[in-house]
Amino acid sequence: MSKIDFSAINKSSSKSFHEQRNTIKNVCLGKTVLCPVCQQALKLLPPKNKNDESKTGVGCVKGCTFIELEFEL
């Protein structure tokens, strides 16, 4: 039985995680970060109140990029 090499998948997952973390960090710091698809600025979308059911996270106006986040209020 041959072993499966997950190193490429692990590297890809790690790279994606770090890119998303840096994007979130830069948006929260007020820096302009552009959507890689539509080139619109990404914005932080926090919940409006404790019972808000809308999507929260970081995304562009068109919705082609969206990183969902959980907020504790």
Side-chain angles (χ1 to χ4, degrees):
M1 192 171 189
S2 65
K3 291 185 178 181
I4 300 174
D5 185 14
F6 287 102
S7 62
I9 295 170
N10 290 338
K11 285 180 185 179
S12 174
S13 296
S14 177
K15 181 181 177 201
S16 175
F17 170 79
H18 291 289
E19 286 174 354
Q20 288 183 13
R21 183 191 64 187
N22 290 334
T23 297
I24 294 165
K25 188 187 314 181
N26 287 331
V27 169
C28 289
L29 288 172
K31 296 181 180 178
T32 301
V33 181
L34 300 179
C35 171
V37 178
C38 68
Q39 300 301 311
Q40 299 290 321
L42 297 177
K43 296 182 180 185
L44 181 64
L45 306 168
K48 293 175 180 47
N49 57 47
K50 192 171 187 172
N51 298 323
D52 191 8
E53 295 287 328
S54 63
K55 284 189 171 185
T56 57
V58 173
C60 67
V61 176
K62 291 184 177 182
C64 48
T65 296
F66 186 77
I67 302 169
E68 189 168 1
L69 299 173
E70 291 182 13
F71 288 86
E72 289 187 22
L73 298 176

